Amino acid sequence: MSKLANQQQPPPPSSDMDVDSADAAEEKNLVRFSINVLELTREAQMQHGLRHGDYTRYRRYCTARLRRLYKSLKFLHGRGKYTKRNITESTVKDVRFLHVVFYMAERAWSHAMEKKTAGPNAKQRIYMLGRFRKAVKWATLFSQLCSIKGDSRTSLEAEAYASYMKGTLLFEQEKNIEAAMMNFKNTRTVYEELGKYGSIENQLLCRQRIEEVEPMIGFCSRKLGGSALQAHDLLDMEKEGPAYDLFKAKIEAVLSETRSQQAASMTEFNWLGRRFPITSAKTRVAILKAQQLERDLNGAATESISADKKLAIFDKLFSAYHDARGCIRNDLASAGNAENIRDDLNGLDKAVSAVLGLRTIERNQLLVSIAKSKFAKHRDEKNEKITKPEELVRLYDLLIQNTTDLTDLVSSGRDKNEEENSFVNEYELKGLAFRAERCFYLAKSYSSAGKRTEAYALFCYARSLVDSALHQLANSPDKALTQDLKALSDNCRSNSCIEHATGIMEDENAPERLSKGVSTISLGDNKKKEDNKYLIDMLGSYESALGEQQTKVPTRITQFPPPFQSVPCNPIVVDMVYDIIEFPNLENRMKKEKKSILKRFWG
């Protein structure tokens, strides 16, 4: 019994096995996770709403992403009753736990930005700041966990992410601008170092992040230095992206304050030799804003501004002038029966409306130049859409209407000065030039449709309009318009000659094409054998009836309409013997009608 008991006892564990298992457990605990925080942030934001500034959509995406992560990790918070489960160092055994903390911070931040872009009131602002604090809390936890569980690059990126969140909160609170600037500088420093290494995509992302942080640092430094914030410096800060939404409202507030200070010295509005007094402060601010935007459009660096940027400036310009007109008309409604005040306000309203019409013409001319650049070039590798001549015709219709409205508005006064008369004459000539351009592109549309006669007639008419405009512009100082009209005249002449020659050639070749088409008519199928492979004809064998990939060839199921087939005609029989044949009498075989006694009696 004792031997059996001794044999059944397990051997004592060796000390080497204990050391190996302890090393394995320690090595398992020292596994470092790797997360490209900046790439993850940018990809999530751009693909789920922030490309268009939709913070609501991004917040909903973060919520759905968290729900999926909780379910996949089986890290649920109970059913029915909520049981809070914290994420600590010991909890993080999978990289997805770090993703949970990251998306918690992103959800809180996007919720705060959603409230901010909506223009919060006092109560909503308190809630918005609470969401920013929540985002800072989760970002700080994310940085702490990454410093323990992540590799060195992940830890550094998480620290930059947390610094950015802290700077955002302090920037919004406006209590400690110096601390906010220090956090933004820490973020910039980290991304400057990370941008020196890695792939091209990573360097580009770091550069974009630095460009987003730079205006915030500049704004904070100007606030701390107490220097006056110039309007052009603030306008240079205005860019697109999630980071720039933070201080757009602050920039607009500072610009409004600057304009209000400048408006104190603005007493009148000059237009075509006339001066109109401005009494309303709101009208002055709106006109100053519009004039600043006009200087941005007509400045020395305007050639470096893209067309899209110019169109955005035009939109802001129109909004400013519309605000000014609204203020003027409100003053008119409250002016009462004071004739002098009403005359001044009516004159100011007319002048502002004329400037608005003039800027509308300039914007439409910009759209025409963009359309012409696309009309002149062929399709490139990107399959960029080419402008059709009908689109240019529509744009010139708008320009003609704008010019007519502007000249009618300026010439509507009783006593016009020399400047107003010369302005009306100038834009009447421009309207004539726009009519010639419209006629030219209308001829182009007829030419593309193959209507040679109509195109030739329109080209000739467009040239006559150009010649009429050039005759009136003989003594005009506008050399640019004269050169454009001369180029248009040459184009009209060359295109009319081309249309004339093409029409004659088509008329000469028409009988030949007709005879050739008739001679090639056949009941047989002259197509190649490989072109006639339809699914209905090869049901006994497997062969694809689909076209090649990346082509627009339709599926070859059966030929429709069906091909012609030769059908034998019915024989023509001419019966010439019918008239001379004597047929037998068949009356005796016909059924006789039976008559009653009364019918026999009465006949």
Side-chain angles (χ1 to χ4, degrees), residues 18 47 76 151 153 298 383 424 586:
D18 290 341
Q47 291 184 1
L76 304 176
D151 57 12
R153 183 184 178 87
N298 303 321
N383 292 326
V424 170
L586 301 177

Side-chain angles (χ1 to χ4, degrees), residues 287-359:
I287 292 176
L288 278 173
K289 180 179 179 181
Q291 290 176 347
Q292 177 63 46
L293 292 168
E294 287 176 352
R295 285 192 290 270
D296 294 335
L297 277 175
N298 303 321
T302 184
E303 295 180 357
S304 61
I305 302 177
S306 63
D308 293 337
K309 183 68 174 177
K310 287 182 180 179
L311 291 175
I313 295 176
F314 270 117
D315 292 339
K316 295 178 182 179
L317 180 65
F318 295 155
S319 177
Y321 274 124
H322 281 301
D323 291 342
R325 288 176 63 190
C327 295
I328 294 168
R329 291 177 182 180
N330 290 335
D331 293 340
L332 269 171
S334 58
N337 297 324
E339 291 296 331
N340 294 333
I341 298 176
R342 294 187 66 86
D343 290 342
D344 291 338
L345 289 174
N346 282 321
L348 181 60
D349 184 36
K350 177 183 174 180
V352 171
S353 300
V355 175
L356 183 59
L358 186 60
R359 301 297 172 251

